[in-house]
Amino acid sequence: MLRALLDIFWDEDVWLPPNTTWEDIAPGPDKAVVYTDYRHLLYPIPLALVLIVLRHTLEKYIFAPFGKSLGIKNTRPKKAPNNPKLESAYAGSPKIKHKQLFLSKDEICALAKQLDMSERQVERWWRLRRSQEKPSKLTKFCENAWRCTFYFYNFSYGMFILWDKEWLWDIDQCYIGYPHQGTTSDIWWYYMMSAAFYWALTMSQFWDVRRKDFWQMFVHHIATIALLSFSWVCNLHRIGTLVLLLHDCTDIFLEAAKALKYANYQKLCDALFAVFTVLWIVTRLGIYPFYIIWSTSIRAPMLLPMFAAYYIFNALLCLLLALHMLWTWLILQVAYKSINAGKMEGDIRSSSSDFSDSNHSNHSTPNRLNNKKDT
């Protein structure tokens, strides 16, 4: 039965162009080109664990000492006094589970009566308790430094290996001759390391700084992994490398801007955020939809016969575009508030607790960058 289910899942009519079989694109010494091997999609998972170890090593021995040398403190908020009853109420609160950490006046009154405490005592303990879970500036600086480092490496490596590839300059070459397009060791490593990084982000997202767009980013990471996997299995790695290259270049400036914010280099932070905003709009709302999506949706059907898996692949590309549009709106909100304030004061991805803090204390004040992001 398992064999029958696998045969149905890996149906050639679904995954491959007409008149193409798995045997035709199976890797082997007798083939004219080196085809992708679907079994290699397992490699990014252990590689992700290696990246997580590498990240923590760099944070401990390089990024943290460097951050401290810039004057970033590793101070944590004061802990709330031990109170088992309030701790039990805090742990069981639906607001905590949904990251809505502030209590209303009525909720404070009800909790004070239930625990035979004053409203002031309950409110103060609750404020201390929710604040103690916030990461320090140094922790957030190290996280941004790691992401900036990887994005810079991956973009630089991608540019280096793709510079002499014909499809970088002529996107139609992504489809001409498909599916008999061979891969090389440099493309293999580019794919495996990129997939490993997104697997690492998906895993570490559950213990990293909590963002207000936690689930959007989770969907983004899963969609990216699915895109990489789909394109690898279907031998669509050429268009996949272009999507990777386009996405990595903007993230370098965002992560660098946030790291500089924590280090109090405000002017440099503002400059990099301005570069990031312009580059984001040009790449994510310009080149991506009008070059990549247009090519996969309009040019590809003209150059090769369509098949079911290709439509799934294209749908995932469109899902990323929808996420780009959502984040662009958030970025423009931050840019607008920053211009009014005269400096970069917001971030398109704040931790939920910090986001709640800002809204509770002053509904007209934007979230601070050091309350912290993407893409």
Side-chain angles (χ1 to χ4, degrees):
M1 180 174 288
L2 179 60
R3 181 72 263 171
L5 290 174
L6 288 174
D7 289 340
I8 293 173
F9 180 80
W10 293 111
D11 188 346
E12 293 169 345
D13 292 335
V14 173
W15 290 91
L16 301 175
N19 304 317
T20 306
T21 67
W22 288 117
E23 181 59 30
D24 293 336
I25 63 170
D30 58 329
K31 299 297 174 67
V33 298
V34 178
Y35 291 103
T36 57
D37 191 335
Y38 72 92
R39 293 170 296 185
H40 292 176
L41 291 175
L42 293 175
Y43 292 174
I45 298 177
L47 279 174
L49 300 178
V50 173
L51 285 181
I52 290 173
V53 172
L54 175 62
R55 169 191 167 178
H56 285 285
T57 302
L58 290 175
E59 286 182 353
K60 182 177 181 180
Y61 296 105
I62 297 179
F63 299 145
F66 179 61
K68 289 177 181 177
S69 71
L70 296 176
I72 304 174
K73 300 187 181 300
N74 194 27
T75 54
R76 299 295 300 271
K78 181 181 178 182
K79 288 189 175 183
N82 184 35
N83 190 316
K85 292 182 178 180
L86 276 172
E87 185 65 41
S88 177
Y90 182 87
S93 172
K95 288 199 168 189
I96 297 303
K97 295 175 183 177
H98 293 89
K99 299 296 177 179
Q100 299 169 353
L101 304 186
F102 280 97
L103 294 177
S104 66
K105 183 69 173 176
D106 292 340
E107 288 171 323
I108 292 174
C109 290
L111 198 55
K113 290 178 180 179
Q114 178 185 341
L115 301 176
D116 194 25
M117 298 174 65
S118 70
E119 294 178 18
R120 183 176 178 79
Q121 286 177 312
V122 171
E123 188 175 15
R124 187 174 187 279
W125 186 93
W126 199 275
R127 185 171 62 251
L128 289 172
R129 180 63 181 84
R130 73 159 189 277
S131 296
Q132 75 182 41
E133 295 182 350
K134 295 179 184 178
S136 67
K137 282 187 177 182
L138 185 63
T139 299
K140 292 185 280 188
F141 171 84
C142 291
E143 181 180 322
N144 294 140
W146 158 250
R147 292 189 181 189
C148 182
T149 300
F150 182 85
Y151 287 132
F152 179 78
Y153 153 78
N154 216 41
F155 176 72
S156 301
Y157 180 71
M159 281 298 299
F160 177 75
I161 65 170
L162 291 176
W163 191 258
D164 62 347
K165 303 295 190 291
E166 56 186 354
W167 65 88
L168 178 64
W169 310 104
D170 179 9
I171 198 169
D172 284 354
Q173 295 299 324
C174 292
Y175 317 112
I176 296 173
Y178 178 83
H180 306 292
Q181 298 170 332
T183 187
T184 54
S185 59
D186 53 1
I187 297 295
W188 188 93
W189 277 107
Y190 190 39
Y191 247 76
M192 294 302 114
M193 291 304 298
S194 297
F197 179 68
Y198 284 102
W199 272 115
L201 286 182
T202 304
M203 298 175 193
S204 64
Q205 190 177 5
F206 290 91
W207 64 76
D208 276 341
V209 179
R210 185 81 177 199
R211 316 294 182 206
K212 67 178 180 180
D213 66 343
F214 177 90
W215 290 111
Q216 292 98 312
M217 286 307 299
F218 185 80
V219 170
H220 173 272
H221 299 336
I222 296 301
T224 303
I225 292 169
L227 270 170
L228 289 169
S229 302
F230 264 116
S231 58
W232 188 258
V233 168
C234 297
N235 218 37
L236 287 163
H237 57 276
R238 290 190 175 185
I239 194 69
T241 55
L242 297 182
V243 173
L244 281 172
L245 192 69
L246 192 65
H247 281 66
D248 285 341
C249 64
T250 55
D251 291 327
I252 299 170
F253 294 95
L254 177 64
E255 300 300 335
K258 289 184 293 184
L260 288 168
K261 177 68 178 180
Y262 300 132
N264 293 322
Y265 286 89
Q266 187 63 54
K267 291 184 178 180
L268 191 52
C269 167
D270 293 342
L272 285 183
F273 184 76
V275 172
F276 160 75
T277 302
V278 173
L279 195 58
W280 173 281
I281 293 172
V282 169
T283 57
R284 304 295 177 95
L285 294 187
I287 298 175
Y288 184 70
F290 296 109
Y291 185 65
I292 301 292
I293 298 293
W294 180 85
S295 172
T296 59
S297 303
I298 306 299
R299 288 295 295 165
M302 297 178 181
L303 298 171
L304 59 88
M306 290 290 95
F307 51 101
Y310 187 87
Y311 291 114
I312 298 173
F313 173 74
N314 205 40
L316 288 170
L317 288 176
C318 292
L319 174 61
L320 281 185
L321 178 59
L323 289 171
H324 294 167
M325 294 171 70
L326 170 63
W327 284 321
T328 300
W329 171 245
L330 296 173
I331 291 169
L332 292 177
Q333 285 182 311
V334 172
Y336 175 76
K337 292 174 182 177
S338 301
I339 292 171
N340 285 345
K343 65 177 181 178
M344 170 65 178
E345 291 193 351
D347 185 18
I348 64 173
R349 294 183 55 214
S350 298
S351 60
S352 349
S353 57
D354 296 334
F355 181 68
S356 300
D357 275 349
S358 177
N359 287 342
H360 183 269
S361 59
N362 186 345
H363 291 282
S364 64
T365 303
N367 295 330
R368 303 295 178 188
L369 178 65
N370 57 13
N371 287 342
K372 167 112 177 120
K373 181 183 174 191
D374 200 65
T375 109

